[in-house]
Amino acid sequence: LVTALLAAATGIIDYLGDERIRRLGAARRHAIANIIVVALEAANLWQRSQGYWPPEDMGVSLTLSGLATLILFYSGWMGGSLVYRHGVAVKSPGHDPLD
């Protein structure tokens, strides 16, 4: 959760700092998917902190973990699309970063 918040900070800077990125549907879908995963994992942390045992009682936590994993696959695909298809955070040849 801590590293997700750190990654979100850089994502927010990119998103708010570039109009072109804000117009991309993939950027919104990537952000929304990541927000959902953080919420699921926060709920999962809370669920596991309740000390449920034996393992049969951990069905909710395992379901949350599985769902978060599936959403992360989708979010990663969207992130790859942002970089490889749309060129987000990619320095093009001859680009002056101070422009």
Side-chain angles (χ1 to χ4, degrees), residues 26-65:
R28 280 188 301 282
R29 290 189 296 274
H30 178 67
I32 291 168
N34 285 331
I35 290 167
I36 291 169
V37 167
V38 168
L40 286 172
E41 289 304 330
N44 197 359
L45 177 63
W46 178 83
Q47 177 74 15
R48 290 174 185 252
S49 73
Q50 300 306 302
Y52 292 114
W53 196 257
E56 303 92 50
D57 294 338
M58 292 185 60
V60 172
S61 289
L62 292 174
T63 300
L64 290 172
S65 292

